[in-house]
Amino acid sequence: MQGIISVSAAVEEARVHQDLLRIEREADPYLEVAALARATDAGPVVLFDQLRGQAGQRIVTNLFSDRRRIARWCGVEPHDLPRMLADAALNPVPPCEVAEAASQQHVITSGIDLFKTLPLAQQTAQDAGCVITGGLALVRDPDTGVFNGSYHRMRVLGADRTCITIQAGRHLLEIARKLRARGERRVPISVNIGAGPAALLACSGSTQQTLTPLGYDELGMAGALQRQSVGVVRCRSLEGAWALSEAEYVLEGYFDTDRLVSEEDSGKDGEKGMMPEAGGYMGRAWKVWEFKVTAITHRPDPVYWFPLAINAETTNLMALPAEASVYDACRRISPRLFDTCHVLQAMRGCLGVVIRIRRKSFRDEGLQNNLAFGALSAHSDLGWVIAVDHDIDLTNSDDVLWAAITRADMRDGLMLTPRAKVSGMLSEGDAAGTGRKVYIDATAPFQRADRYQRGHFEAVDLKQWLGAEAALRLRARQPDYLKSLLARGY
């Protein structure tokens, strides 16, 4: 991510690589922008140049929708992303204070109006309203001085106030508890909308993972990813608050831990829908803390980052730090056996992971189970772990399911744990946030490996047999699973 230290720079990089879709026709932030973002999911970066009722403002989405793009930013192949992120987390480059910041070129401290300053969008007609989905909350730990960055949905309630939904176990919640213990009820934060891709990615991990525990400074990981320190700047309107120097928009303010508000206007907390969430279902509205905006600052020509929680953009952002934690844990347990890991899209960011092994001896038998235990410990939100052999394309859900069906012995290869902490997105999770975790050993026994050999076919160039146009038409109608098999000679 060297040299790409802002959303604007990421958009330009995408344009250069013909990886940018510009929507020049006027789009309505009410439902239409989100519908187009959903329809273009897993595709190019999408930039909306004209917004109905928001003259001169722009929205960008799908920045992280394609792992190949993220890998290109990082200068590695997609399968190397877990290793690179793990190495970056272990070799942080600390952030640095800057005197002047692009994010503070324009400062609004009076007449604050979120509806006029930001091109706020609503996703579905069933949503509670306009929600800021790409706001990176930055806070400084009062004990250690390190920064914590995290995302929280923020429904806009008025011209200068939103709510902020902080789930149990989040580090921001722990910092709020520290301040309350000191008698301080107001927690000063900045909400940074858009920043360098490295900062956006590094701050997207779950708080309950081993690689970035409580007290870890995610901006240090971001600095390692972009190979230079992330710039931070003191907020203009609030003592003790800091902002990202390369953010597009910054909302300065505080949330009051004595003041609860409902996310939904009817006040039917836990009943009414909020918006489509990463798990694939409509989230529920709850009573949460209120966030008071004391200033808005922004770049000269800002672009509003609007990720959809249900899209691949968000699940990739959640999955990559999870993979990095699992990768680091497993390589420590058995670097000889462990190959790599991957969170399938259906695993919704952090609900499950596939780990791949390569046995070299009958003495390796059983180590895949140790790796699975390590994976479950590395990230508490994980509810499923599937172990597969080196011949499986762990990025293809069909190949993983095939391995589970044809290789897993459900008598000895299926494990259900006692109740443990899991993601609230898992169906079995209860009010305490616990549920049973599942492990499936979908690997073939080493001593019976000959029974599980796959046939290898000779490679052919269809262009020579069918012609270029006919070959392209044939490839276009073939499913991804078959393309994966053919690419590996199966």
Side-chain angles (χ1 to χ4, degrees):
M1 296 185 177
Q2 189 173 13
I4 309 175
I5 60 172
S6 69
V7 164
S8 299
V11 170
E12 174 59 20
E13 192 273 352
R15 185 194 66 79
V16 170
H17 285 85
Q18 298 184 329
D19 195 15
L20 174 67
L21 174 62
R22 300 187 80 118
I23 306 293
E24 297 180 352
R25 175 179 159 184
E26 184 182 76
D28 194 336
Y30 179 72
L31 308 184
E32 205 166 51
V33 167
L36 285 162
R38 184 64 177 147
T40 56
D41 188 19
V45 175
V46 180
L47 180 65
F48 296 88
D49 280 323
Q50 295 189 62
L51 302 171
R52 188 168 301 162
Q54 301 283 353
Q57 296 184 328
R58 301 174 298 158
I59 289 177
V60 67
T61 191
N62 282 354
L63 282 176
F64 296 90
S65 64
D66 188 338
R67 286 191 179 222
R68 292 168 298 181
R69 180 185 312 122
I70 302 170
R72 187 177 73 228
W73 290 342
C74 294
V76 298
E77 293 298 319
H79 66 267
D80 275 332
L81 284 170
R83 175 194 57 77
M84 182 181 187
L85 265 67
D87 290 345
L90 296 173
N91 297 277
V93 176
C96 65
E97 181 179 359
V98 299
E100 296 185 7
S103 61
Q104 292 184 342
Q105 292 300 300
H106 295 269
V107 180
I108 303 169
T109 55
S110 62
I112 295 170
D113 192 332
L114 294 169
F115 294 100
K116 291 182 179 179
T117 309
L118 305 179
L120 299 169
Q122 182 168 330
Q123 299 180 42
T124 76
Q126 296 77 39
D127 289 7
C130 294
V131 180
I132 297 171
T133 58
L136 192 164
L138 190 68
V139 66
R140 202 166 195 180
D141 190 298
D143 293 336
T144 64
V146 303
F147 290 101
N148 172 254
S150 53
Y151 296 94
H152 312 273
R153 71 186 187 197
M154 306 178 73
R155 192 247 160 143
V156 180
L157 301 174
D160 63 351
R161 65 189 186 98
T162 78
C163 50
I164 181 167
T165 308
I166 309 173
Q167 296 176 334
R170 304 303 300 272
H171 292 170
L172 179 55
L173 181 60
E174 296 304 316
I175 291 173
R177 286 173 175 161
K178 286 185 179 184
L179 291 171
R180 279 184 67 90
R182 298 180 177 193
E184 300 177 40
R185 298 299 195 256
R186 292 182 174 182
V187 181
I189 65 171
S190 67
V191 176
N192 303 264
I193 304 173
L200 300 179
L201 176 56
C203 293
S204 65
S206 167
T207 57
Q208 300 179 42
Q209 58 188 47
T210 55
L211 198 60
T212 56
L214 181 63
Y216 182 86
D217 191 332
E218 289 87 359
L219 297 188
M221 177 182 176
L225 286 172
Q226 67 182 28
R227 300 179 188 176
Q228 71 179 83
S229 294
V230 173
V232 294
V233 63
R234 296 174 189 269
C235 286
R236 295 293 189 91
S237 65
L238 211 60
E239 186 70 27
W242 296 71
L244 297 176
S245 63
E246 295 296 336
E248 299 291 317
Y249 294 90
V250 176
L251 311 182
E252 300 180 2
Y254 61 86
F255 61 87
D256 190 331
T257 56
D258 281 338
R259 182 168 176 76
L260 292 173
V261 293
S262 176
E263 290 184 288
E264 210 279 329
D265 294 336
S266 71
K268 294 183 178 180
D269 306 312
E271 298 179 25
K272 301 291 276 186
M274 182 63 193
M275 68 177 198
E277 283 287 8
Y281 299 106
M282 287 291 289
R284 299 291 101 184
W286 299 100
K287 188 164 285 187
V288 297
W289 285 325
E290 181 183 79
F291 174 69
K292 177 73 172 180
V293 182
T294 56
I296 302 175
T297 71
H298 61 82
R299 300 171 75 97
D301 186 22
V303 57
Y304 181 81
W305 181 45
F306 180 53
L308 267 59
I310 198 171
N311 271 11
E313 173 157 39
T314 295
T315 53
N316 284 339
L317 281 169
M318 295 168 65
L320 286 168
E323 290 172 7
S325 278
V326 170
Y327 187 97
D328 185 59
C330 289
R331 71 177 172 182
R332 291 173 187 269
I333 293 169
S334 181
R336 180 173 177 275
L337 183 74
F338 176 66
D339 179 15
T340 189
C341 59
H342 182 75
V343 174
L344 292 164
Q345 276 297 316
M347 291 172 164
R348 307 311 298 166
C350 62
L351 301 187
V353 67
V354 184
I355 58 175
R356 189 166 64 191
I357 67 168
R358 181 184 289 271
R359 290 190 185 92
K360 299 177 177 65
S361 163
F362 74 94
R363 297 182 185 276
D364 293 332
E365 194 67 70
L367 273 174
Q368 72 273 20
N369 301 331
N370 295 67
L371 294 175
F373 301 151
L376 288 171
S377 299
H379 197 296
S380 67
D381 282 351
L382 287 176
W384 288 69
V385 174
I386 303 174
V388 298
D389 291 304
H390 67 275
D391 66 321
I392 300 298
D393 179 359
L394 80 173
T395 69
N396 187 282
S397 56
D398 284 298
D399 217 28
V400 173
L401 182 59
W402 174 78
I405 289 174
T406 63
R407 298 183 181 183
D409 178 350
M410 290 304 174
R411 179 183 57 188
D412 298 323
L414 173 65
M415 180 189 75
L416 292 176
T417 73
R419 298 192 76 84
K421 286 294 182 183
V422 295
S423 168
M425 293 186 289
L426 284 171
S427 63
E428 199 198 2
D430 57 19
T434 66
R436 290 178 179 83
K437 296 175 184 283
V438 181
Y439 163 51
I440 298 175
D441 179 3
T443 65
F446 182 81
Q447 292 181 318
R448 296 174 56 198
D450 58 332
R451 171 65 182 82
Y452 295 92
Q453 288 183 1
R454 305 169 77 169
H456 281 266
F457 293 83
E458 294 299 311
V460 295
D461 185 354
L462 285 178
K463 293 179 182 178
Q464 295 182 1
W465 291 86
L466 308 177
E469 187 175 339
L472 284 174
R473 285 200 304 269
L474 176 60
R475 284 286 184 252
R477 68 181 297 174
Q478 290 175 320
D480 289 341
Y481 182 31
L482 181 61
K483 292 176 184 176
S484 172
L485 292 173
L486 295 175
R488 292 174 288 148
Y490 297 137

